[in-house]
Amino acid sequence: MHSGFPEIRAIFLAQFHPDLGPIVRLSVPEDAVDVEQRVYNDQVCIKNDDMRISGLMAALDGSFSPSCFDQEPAEVIELIKRPEPDRPAVDSSKIDFNSIQTLIIPKLTLFERLITVNTGRHKVMCYPIAVEGNYPRNVFIFNMCFAFDIDADTKCYGAVVKRVGCLLKELEITGNLLSDPEGTRPLVTMMRQLVSKLNAHGEYQIELDLKGLSQPMASTGISIKLFPYYENPKTIEPYHVPVKLVDFDIAKRKSAQTVYQEHASNDIMWDLVLDKVTECIDNINHVRRIAQLTLIREETVVLALKHLDYYGCIALVDIFQFSNVYEGQYQVMDIFRNAWLQRECHNYVTRDGQAGSISIERLIHLYSTIRQRKSVADWIVDNDVDVERFDVRRFFMFGVLHQMLRRVHCYPVLCKPAGGSAQQSSESSEASSVLEEEPGQLGARVLGMLDGTHHLDEIGITAEKDTATMRELLDKHGNIEYILL
């Protein structure tokens, strides 16, 4: 495995034989695919396949055009195929081709679309191709398939599988590489190199010797490189706090050295918005506060933070307050058995100059004492935590970043009173006016958010008040119920 990319377990070339139907022509390693030996006579085999091919050819007749496959698929198609119970058991270390052959050589609607098939212990990615021309059935169907472990994250291989399929299609159109029996040698060479090079180095570059097959393409070069797959950036709200995962000063200088191929000077050319935003990221300021400090529109700040989040430069957490409530997750067990995580936590939460203020054993014990429905302030009192030598904010932030802790949000809900006196109504109206301290309709806007879908952090940012003050004002208003989720 190279740089975190999943390892290719096998590559095999499947094609539709005009008489036998779906077959595996080549595979690397040679015994990677388990293909059931055909015990039926040729007459029955041809009859069954002819029934399926007749429908295929009917669809192709007069309507097949390579241009119909030029459209990009709306999404990756992922299928799960399980072996039928009445079929004999196969070696679990091999790919059971017979159980997935109808998905490897699929219907026309799935041609030139990226397909992922899970079968047994393997995950197979493929990109089926159909080439129209002078063939026994007027069409040549093939599929170069990549096999991985069942639990592998193969998103980074999507572009590679598609590129290989399109390249083979072009070679078949120009030089009949796949349909010509003489093309077996360069195909096997390419498949072996794909497995070894991509697994070892994450990239592949080779010259295919196609002499005797295609004069225009007698020497064809193939260059393929794996790139990390990044998830779409998360939705960033005004109450989110960006946490630095990289040193931005080092990142700026490295980017300058990459561009100019020389030592970076003090005048570093970087995006102005990113430069200003990163200066205000201190793991405490929330998004709206950063926008206020940089005098940049909040929407622009969000776009900059999404860019940093996309490349893994920041993580997003909630505003830390001593009124926050957290609960432990099952991942908290990691700190009990992971020595590296224990050392990282100790270095992160210990204040400067107080290296011996708290032991690792004490940290582990403190994580085990976090319970739901208990605020951070109450937790500090109950566990006698010395806040002068122990950074409580970093302690909880470290737990959230490593998914050992989860923030429990408080959702206020405004309940309509069943009945009440004029005095109660007067008190409620007075509290509403207290909420509307600033000009405009702020009070009405806050009251409109008390429907159980907005938590106190979001409401507090909207009203520009901290959570404790917001809780007091809501309690004064009355008829408020709180839901912890």
Side-chain angles (χ1 to χ4, degrees), residues 465-478:
K465 293 179 174 59
D466 60 87
T467 302
T469 303
M470 202 73 233
R471 184 73 178 257
E472 291 179 2
L473 294 176
L474 292 175
D475 289 341
K476 283 185 179 180
H477 182 275

Side-chain angles (χ1 to χ4, degrees), residues 2 28 64 92 128 139 181 218 265 276 279 329 341 349 377 419 421 446 463:
H2 175 75
V28 175
F64 176 80
S92 59
V139 63
S265 62
K276 286 188 175 182
E279 289 178 357
Q329 302 293 289
L341 191 62
V349 306
S421 62
V446 170

Side-chain angles (χ1 to χ4, degrees), residues 126 206 209 457:
C126 56
I206 190 175
D209 185 9
D457 283 2

Side-chain angles (χ1 to χ4, degrees), residues 217-230:
M217 306 182 68
S219 181
T220 301
I222 302 175
S223 298
I224 293 175
K225 184 177 177 63
L226 290 173
F227 293 94
Y229 178 86
Y230 296 103

Side-chain angles (χ1 to χ4, degrees), residues 339-349 360 363 398 402:
W340 174 86
L341 191 62
Q342 295 171 5
R343 291 191 298 269
E344 288 292 314
C345 180
H346 186 268
N347 295 334
Y348 189 74
V349 306
I360 294 178
L363 283 176
F398 186 88
H402 289 81

Side-chain angles (χ1 to χ4, degrees), residues 127 142 144 146 159-169 190 194 222 224:
Y127 192 75
F142 68 92
M144 184 67 80
F146 291 65
V160 172
V161 175
K162 183 177 179 179
R163 177 176 171 81
V164 171
C166 294
L167 175 65
L168 293 177
K169 177 184 178 181
M190 183 190 73
L194 277 172
I222 302 175
I224 293 175

Side-chain angles (χ1 to χ4, degrees), residues 52-103:
R52 198 164 79 90
I53 289 299
S54 61
L56 175 64
M57 296 309 301
L60 293 176
D61 186 23
S63 62
F64 176 80
S65 176
S67 61
C68 68
F69 298 135
D70 292 338
Q71 300 178 356
E72 289 292 333
E75 59 183 356
V76 175
I77 302 170
E78 185 163 352
L79 305 170
I80 300 177
K81 183 70 175 178
R82 300 298 180 191
E84 291 144 7
D86 57 344
R87 293 187 61 249
V90 298
D91 188 351
S92 59
S93 63
K94 297 182 179 181
I95 302 166
D96 185 10
F97 177 75
N98 297 283
S99 66
I100 60 173
Q101 61 179 351
T102 56
L103 305 176

Side-chain angles (χ1 to χ4, degrees), residues 446-462:
V446 170
L447 291 174
M449 298 176 70
L450 305 180
D451 56 358
T453 61
H454 306 275
H455 51 72
L456 278 179
D457 283 2
E458 183 179 357
I459 298 174
I461 290 293
T462 302

